[in-house]
Every structure is written in structure tokens, then in C-alpha cells.
Amino acid sequence: MGIGRGPAQQLARRELARSIYRPSLWHRILSAINRWLNSVLGSAGPGHAAWWTLIVLIAVGAGIVLGVIAWIGPARRARRRRPAAVLAGGQLTAREHRQNAERLAASGDVAGAIIERVRAIAVELESRGILVPRPGRTATELAAEAAGALPGSGPALREAARLFDDVRYGGRAGTLAGYQRVADLDTSLAAARAPSVAAASPASVPGGGAAEAGPPA
């Protein structure tokens, strides 16, 4: 027995309403873009003028996208990697920085341990007058200036500065071997004898004395 005309139409409508007969999202997006291009080409007039309009629009859009990417990438990297002062803020002694470093290393925070140990070096050298206390000194500057008074430690100081920047601004985790090298450098510098830069240049520090080292950033 056949199906009547009315029920057949209802079945056909239900079948066509199924999702497999609907255009996909991607198809609808392409259709929208196609309609937009047709409207642009239609308004631009026939012939080569329409194509030149399309080419110009594509070139402008590509230029904007490339410009945004070119600006965001370096700017974000610069913000992430721009070095700041090794010491800034509150006040801790070199011994307190070392204690913080050992505690962090024991807990597995090698990056934090490296940072604290380099800060211990900075405070040690400033408190002993080997370096003139100077706010805003970066790790690279610390290594360069300390190497002038302690030339034999120059390579180790530069490596410590690099490790500091890697973990502080480069987002690296650091290694126990790297931390141990910084700790060994700190120990050797604490025992080293060097001419007092602050004593040789009293005019460079207000009042002729060594200022207290600033706290870590």
C-alpha cells in the first residue's frame, strides 16, 4: 500500500531538514566571502578595474596582518627579555641571600636558587667595597665591573650573569650543575682579596662610604 501525498511531503521535509543536507560552517563562510567579493567587484565596475580593486584590498589586508605580527613578536620578546637590576627593593645580606638560595635549591627551585646566589655575589662585592653600590646594575654590568677588580674570575662571572638572565628573563628552569657553578663562584669570591674600588673612588659614593646594597627585584 502506497503512502499518500500529504504524508510523503511531510517525510520529504523531515529528511531535508536533517543536518547532512545543511551547508557546513566552512561552506557558509566561503559563501559569505564569495558574496562580499562579488559585491566589491560589482561596485568596482567591469574589466580590469574590478580585479585591481580586489588585488589592492588583498594587499592591504595582508600588510596589516604582517605588520601586527611583526610588531607583536619583537615587542613581546623585548618585554620578556629586557634585563633589570640584580638588586632592588628591600634589604638582605649576602648571607641571607645564600640561605635563600640553599633553601630554594633543596626544594627543587633551581632557577630561584641561581637568582638568589647571584644576588649574594652582588651584595658581597658591594659590602666589601670591591664594587661601588649602584642602583640599577644589571647582571651583565655586575660581571663586567667585578671582572675589572677580579680579572681571574671574569669568565665565571660572565657565566653567572648569563645563567641569571636565562632563568630571570628567559624563562629557563636552570640546572643543578649551573647553580653549583654559581655557588662555587660565590664561595671563591667571598674568600678573594681585591682592591677596594669604593675606597679608591670615594667621590663616586655620596659621603665617601659604601651604601647598603638594595634588595632583590
Side-chain angles (χ1 to χ4, degrees), residues 45 49 53 62 109 112 145 179 196 198 205:
T53 301
D109 185 358
E145 295 172 25
Y179 168 69
S196 172
V205 181

Side-chain angles (χ1 to χ4, degrees), residues 108-122:
D109 185 358
V110 181
I114 290 173
I115 291 170
E116 284 298 300
R117 204 73 192 222
V118 173
R119 287 171 174 167
I121 291 173

Side-chain angles (χ1 to χ4, degrees), residues 30-45 50 54:
L30 291 178
S31 298
I33 293 174
N34 186 56
R35 288 193 299 272
W36 175 75
L37 290 176
N38 288 335
S39 66
V40 171
L41 294 176
S43 62
L54 177 61

Side-chain angles (χ1 to χ4, degrees), residues 188-203:
S188 66
L189 291 178
R193 300 183 64 182
S196 172
V197 176
S201 306

